[in-house]
């Protein structure tokens, strides 16, 4: 519980600079700012104030752009930390993505809140790990008549930047009516509505993280929006295990708020 609260606090520290560190500590379930700061530094090795200063949206954008064509040894510590996460650990082609043209197929949509049944998996974001959760979800939903034309199949992600791979959470979800309750096979949650940037794409399953990073670096960083701390998810146009071509046809849905409020 403490780890999840700390992960939530990172999202708020880096996306909501209008709130004080004390307010964020209390919102995330800590008893006060001093206890929060101590636990935060023990877990992440830096203070909440340094995280807010070094990894807020504008700084993150600048640091990511400075990774292009550089080696880790030539970078400042904060940039080297991002290089380690995205280039070494996530194995994402930063130079290739930064060389590409801006992403243009994006719509700003006011998404409704979504009530979903979900099956959770914890660990690295790999096809082998995620598909069994979707299979279990569909096997539960189909005989209950929930696989209708109105139903949405979703995958809800953590932001992997600040979370160890073995602790990453992914929820395979399907939207459900109010009459359907949790049981021993699935849990139920509400995904908050609000303003989302929606990017439609068709990609190989193995390029999911790359597509998200391309969306962020080549659209969001040049837009009049910044990330919000609500859930990010993708909406599938067919269940992932049923794609005959191996391509995923989906909408990437990024929670956003205006850059200048």
């Amino acid at each position: 519980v403490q780890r999840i609260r700390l992960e939530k606090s990172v999202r708020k520290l880096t996306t909501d600079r209008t709130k004080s560190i004390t307010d964020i500590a209390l919102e995330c379930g800590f008893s006060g700012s001093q206890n929060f700061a101590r636990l935060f530094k023990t877990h992440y090795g830096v203070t909440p104030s340094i995280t807010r200063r070094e990894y807020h949206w504008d700084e993150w954008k600048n640091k990511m752009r400075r990774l292009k064509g550089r080696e880790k040894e030539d970078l400042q510590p904060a940039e080297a930390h991002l290089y380690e996460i995205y280039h070494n650990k996530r194995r994402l082609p930063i130079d290739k993505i930064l060389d590409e043209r801006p992403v243009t197929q994006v719509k700003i949509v006011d998404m409704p809140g979504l009530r979903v049944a979900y099956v959770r998996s914890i660990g690295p974001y790999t096809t082998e790990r995620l598909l069994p959760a979707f299979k279990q979800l569909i096997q539960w939903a189909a005989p209950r008549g929930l696989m209708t034309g109105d139903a949405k199949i979703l995958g809800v992600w953590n932001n992997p930047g600040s979370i160890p791979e073995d602790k990453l959470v992914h929820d395979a979800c399907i939207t459900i009516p109010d009459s359907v309750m949790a049981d021993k096979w699935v849990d139920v949650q509400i995904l908050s509505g609000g303003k989302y940037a929606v990017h439609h794409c068709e990609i190989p399953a193995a390029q999911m993280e790359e597509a998200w990073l391309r969306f962020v670096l080549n659209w969001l960083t040049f837009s009049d929006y910044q990330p919000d701390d609500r859930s990010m998810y993708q909406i599938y146009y067919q269940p992932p295990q049923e794609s005959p071509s191996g391509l995923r046809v989906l909408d990437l849905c990024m929670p956003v708020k205006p850059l200048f409020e």
Side-chain angles (χ1 to χ4, degrees), residues 4-224:
I4 292 170
R5 287 174 174 169
L6 288 168
E7 291 165 1
K8 182 179 179 181
S9 76
V10 171
R11 294 197 299 273
K12 289 185 174 293
L13 286 167
T14 55
T15 62
D16 195 344
R17 307 189 74 201
T18 63
K19 291 181 179 175
S20 70
I21 291 176
T22 298
D23 287 343
I24 289 173
L26 296 175
E27 279 187 14
C28 294
F30 296 94
S31 59
S33 58
Q34 290 184 333
N35 178 52
F36 169 59
R38 177 178 58 81
L39 293 170
F40 192 98
K41 186 170 183 180
T42 299
H43 188 76
Y44 288 112
V46 294
T47 64
S49 58
I50 289 176
T51 298
R52 166 166 275 184
R53 185 177 71 243
E54 294 291 336
Y55 297 105
H56 67 80
W57 178 236
D58 288 336
E59 280 298 308
W60 183 89
K61 287 191 293 187
N62 293 332
K63 288 182 174 67
M64 287 297 287
R65 287 170 183 163
R66 287 197 291 268
L67 297 185
K68 183 178 177 181
R70 306 281 294 281
E71 298 295 333
K72 183 180 176 182
E73 295 74 19
D74 300 328
L75 299 169
Q76 296 297 317
E79 294 163 357
H81 175 67
L82 292 179
Y83 186 98
E84 180 65 23
I85 290 173
Y86 291 98
H87 191 279
N88 289 348
K89 289 185 179 179
R90 314 306 305 172
R91 301 291 182 184
L92 293 168
I94 301 291
D95 283 1
K96 173 189 169 187
I97 292 171
L98 289 171
D99 273 337
E100 292 175 354
R101 295 180 178 178
V103 171
T104 57
Q105 294 179 326
V106 178
K107 298 185 294 185
I108 303 299
V109 179
D110 285 319
M111 300 288 284
L114 301 174
R115 186 172 187 267
V116 298
Y118 68 96
V119 175
R120 176 162 292 177
S121 54
I122 299 177
Y125 289 152
T126 61
T127 300
E128 294 75 19
R129 183 175 294 276
L130 301 185
L131 279 185
F134 281 106
K135 183 177 180 181
Q136 179 181 332
L137 181 72
I138 301 308
Q139 287 176 339
W140 171 87
R144 290 167 173 79
L146 298 174
M147 297 292 292
T148 66
D150 294 332
K152 292 182 172 64
I153 305 292
L154 303 94
V156 181
W157 301 73
N158 282 133
N159 181 345
S162 61
I163 301 172
E165 271 205 336
D166 63 336
K167 299 294 192 298
L168 290 170
V169 174
H170 176 274
D171 293 339
C173 307
I174 185 171
T175 53
I176 54 172
D178 292 343
S179 58
V180 178
M181 300 297 168
D183 56 30
K184 65 180 180 180
W185 291 282
V186 300
D187 290 305
V188 171
Q189 63 178 310
I190 304 293
L191 302 178
S192 298
K195 199 173 295 296
Y196 275 77
V198 179
H199 172 43
H200 181 77
C201 54
E202 299 184 18
I203 53 173
Q207 293 181 14
M208 190 74 72
E209 280 193 76
E210 185 176 331
W212 272 105
L213 190 59
R214 181 178 292 109
F215 181 21
V216 172
L217 287 178
N218 292 346
W219 180 80
L220 190 58
T221 60
F222 296 101
S223 75
D224 293 328

